[in-house]
């Protein structure tokens, strides 16, 4: 039987974002996706998994997904990966940054600048980068096997806001239609907020996935 992937979901930070700890026990290595706050909670959960964190991947650069980045970076020594078009979100002035009124320690510069189709290797697994611009220009989804971490691109019955600077509603709907709804029905989706879901469920229940939907 195939070894199950460890996927630990933590709800962190001021907007209740999902932070995921993912890896294979047999690898002893794993990654953190979106350390959005509560660094101590994340680090404690990491030590409970027994995984050594080699990589931190950011689905996008909003502060509710990166507020604990610097602390998790410092404690784990992991490399940080973000899509090239969201890298400026990590730049700060001085030792503290502010984004949308939230203050947090400025992270170190990213180690890996991602583009569509890149793969991020962690232990024996590789994760494919699917560029899904719209919520931010450099939003990505991260796919391994039949599992996709979607950040704020798609949620159960919803999508990420496009009311932020740099957001584009038409681009987001196109990303969802062309990059997510084209995946097999049984694909499991792990969003940046809220519960996990599947492509089949969102095809059926999510109003934003209907072909031709332009909304509002
Ligand atoms: Zn966001
Ligand atoms: Zn978010």
């Amino acid at each position: 039987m195939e070894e199950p992937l460890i996927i630990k979901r933590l709800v962190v930070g001021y907007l209740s974002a999902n932070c995921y700890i993912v890896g294979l026990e047999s690898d002893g290595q794993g990654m953190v996706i979106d350390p959005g706050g509560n660094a101590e909670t994340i680090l404690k959960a990491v030590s409970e998994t027994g995984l050594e964190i080699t990589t931190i991947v950011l689905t996008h650069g909003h502060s509710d997904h990166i507020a604990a980045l610097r602390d998790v970076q410092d404690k784990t020594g992991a490399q940080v990966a973000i899509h090239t078009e969201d890298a400026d979100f990590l730049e700060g002035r001085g030792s503290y940054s502010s984004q949308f009124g939230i203050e947090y320690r400025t992270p170190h510069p990213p180690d890996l600048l991602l583009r569509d189709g890149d793969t991020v290797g962690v232990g024996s697994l590789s994760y494919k980068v699917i560029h899904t611009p719209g919520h931010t220009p450099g939003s990505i989804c991260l796919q391994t096997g039949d599992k996709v971490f979607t950040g704020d691109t798609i949620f159960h019955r919803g999508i990420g806001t496009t009311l932020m600077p740099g957001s584009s509603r038409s681009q987001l709907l196109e990303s969802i239609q062309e990059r997510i709804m084209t995946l097999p029905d049984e694909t499991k989706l792990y969003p940046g907020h809220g519960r996990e879901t599947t492509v089949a469920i969102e095809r059926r229940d999510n109003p934003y996935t209907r072909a031709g939907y332009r909304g509002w």
Side-chain angles (χ1 to χ4, degrees):
M1 213 180 83
E2 207 185 319
E3 183 185 348
L5 189 63
I6 298 169
I7 300 180
K8 221 172 189 179
R9 175 169 78 101
L10 306 169
V11 179
V12 297
Y14 70 104
L15 287 179
S16 303
N18 289 330
C19 168
Y20 295 97
I21 301 165
V22 188
L24 285 177
E25 194 180 347
S26 62
D27 282 339
Q29 293 188 335
M31 83 175 156
V32 169
I33 300 173
D34 291 352
N38 306 97
E40 293 305 318
T41 308
I42 296 171
L43 292 165
K44 184 165 173 276
V46 163
S47 70
E48 284 165 8
T49 63
L51 297 172
E52 176 207 350
I53 301 302
T54 59
T55 307
I56 300 166
V57 178
L58 307 170
T59 59
H60 63 296
H62 282 159
S63 56
D64 60 316
H65 297 255
I66 69 167
L69 174 58
R70 175 63 184 268
D71 292 331
V72 176
Q73 231 174 347
D74 285 349
K75 288 276 161 49
T76 60
Q79 62 177 355
V80 172
I82 187 167
H83 190 275
T84 179
E85 288 181 58
D86 265 22
D88 326 347
F89 280 108
L90 303 189
E91 281 171 22
R93 292 174 196 84
S95 57
Y96 280 85
S97 263
S98 167
Q99 203 181 94
F100 316 126
I102 298 305
E103 293 240 314
Y104 59 96
R105 292 175 68 211
T106 300
H108 302 294
D111 303 282
L112 293 174
L113 291 178
L114 304 172
R115 290 176 190 280
D116 187 54
D118 284 353
T119 54
V120 177
V122 178
S124 63
L125 291 177
S126 68
Y127 296 83
K128 192 176 116 194
V129 174
I130 305 173
H131 184 207
T132 50
H135 176 66
T136 63
S139 282
I140 59 165
C141 297
L142 210 57
Q143 180 181 26
T144 187
D146 64 350
K147 298 173 178 62
V148 181
F149 297 88
T150 65
D152 287 2
T153 293
I154 187 166
F155 309 128
H156 175 49
R157 297 188 162 184
I159 59 173
T161 174
T162 50
L163 301 173
M164 301 290 212
S167 296
S168 160
R169 188 174 180 81
S170 58
Q171 222 175 19
L172 178 58
L173 293 170
E174 191 181 310
S175 291
I176 291 169
Q177 209 52 248
E178 292 180 2
R179 308 303 303 272
I180 305 297
M181 287 302 114
T182 47
L183 297 169
D185 269 352
E186 61 277 14
T187 307
K188 293 190 179 70
L189 304 177
Y190 297 85
H193 299 267
R195 52 161 268 197
E196 70 171 85
T197 181
T198 65
V199 167
I201 291 170
E202 297 319 306
R203 214 189 286 290
R204 190 190 64 203
D205 292 351
N206 191 325
Y208 304 96
T209 62
R210 306 220 166 102
Y213 179 87
R214 286 293 173 267
W216 297 348

